[in-house]
Amino acid sequence: MNTMTRKLATIREIEEIKPIPEADKICAYRVGGWWVVDTINKYDVNDLAIYCEVDSWIPHELAPFLSKGQEPREYNGVKGERLRTVRLRGQLSQGLLLPSTILNELGLWPLVGDPVDHNLTNQLNIQKWEPPIPSQLQGTMRGNFPHFIPKTDQERCQNLRKDIFDTHKDDVYEVTTKLDGSSMTVYVKDGEVHVCSRNIDLIETEGNTFWNTAREQNIIDTLLELSVEKGEEYAIQGELIGEGIQGNPEKLTGHKFYLFDIYSITVGRYLKADERYSILDTLNMNGASIEHVPIVEQGLRVAQAYDSIDELLEFAEGPSLNPQTKREGLVFKSWESDFSFKAISNSYLLKTKF
Ligand code: AMP
Ligand code: MN
């Protein structure tokens, strides 16, 4: 999934309403796979409302009550607040519902075409909140992230109910542990190896953790050698984890890159799981020391094993790479197509400090 297409705020139908035990002023509304706690009787089933996902940065004017009477915070020059996962009277609440009437007030109504799923992210000036980048990861820019390689991203399962249980109901998946670090890409182009963070191509500088780790695990030379040997240019993508990154939940000493994807730049596609394992073996036989993210299940028929998004989210709970650590969640990749998604552990979201 590309960040450009990311829908953080969309018009949705309220699909289900459930009471919260011993709460008479609030209830839970369901849109897709998300539950949002709000005032009772505010919406009816089938009503249209604007749904904003967790990690949206909401401009203050849109929802001043989020600042709870305090001075709003600021992100990329916009005053507002970040939407987090919370528990209210024991009920999980993720994201924000806004009445569709505000579109009138903002002069955005009527919309052209079907309002359901209409993406309002840009019109409402909503951004995706990203954690601050530690200085050891910032580095010096060599260029933009290359346009010929997809950026790593995964859509949340809560937005893909129909796709998972209908369109892809017969799909078989590889399920891996989602590691909470920083996205890293190493690729070969025209006989040169590049190292990228999530958004930029980096110059090799002293003290840059992406480059240092790539050298330590001998990724640079082995990837170059492989592309010469195969006559094909590859990008390997994974998660850099360790000290100073996202609070180092795995309690690692130093840093380590864990691979989760290989993209053939020459052919313009992601390798299938078995092709990926075989390329990884070759790199390691040639002297690299690269581990794959942990594989939790291989060949899982998700739509048969689980009946709902809530059940999938239960499955996302569990130990991480470090068995003492709760995992951030799971990533599901279909064997049949490029379809993939993430299921984030709700208990992880509730406890994480970021
Ligand atoms: P998020 O961290 O919520 O933005 O989710 C997407 C990111 O998860 C990707 O950009 C990757 O950097 C990261 N990630 C961590 N573990 C995995 C994994 N096992 N498979 C795919 N992506 C992963
Ligand atoms: Mn992440």
Side-chain angles (χ1 to χ4, degrees), residues 128 152-154 156 176-179 182-183 198 238-239 260 293 328 331 333 342 344:
K128 163 130 194 277
T152 66
D153 202 3
Q154 297 295 333
R156 294 175 190 257
T176 57
T177 303
K178 188 169 187 297
L179 298 177
S182 206
S183 170
R198 169 124 184 55
E239 197 78 353
F260 54 69
V293 292
E328 186 193 4
V331 175
K333 286 198 189 120
K342 64 184 175 191
I344 306 284

Side-chain angles (χ1 to χ4, degrees), residues 14 35 41 71 150 162 304 342 347:
I14 304 291
W35 285 102
N41 294 331
E71 192 53 27
K162 273 215 184 74
Q304 284 180 17
K342 64 184 175 191
S347 62

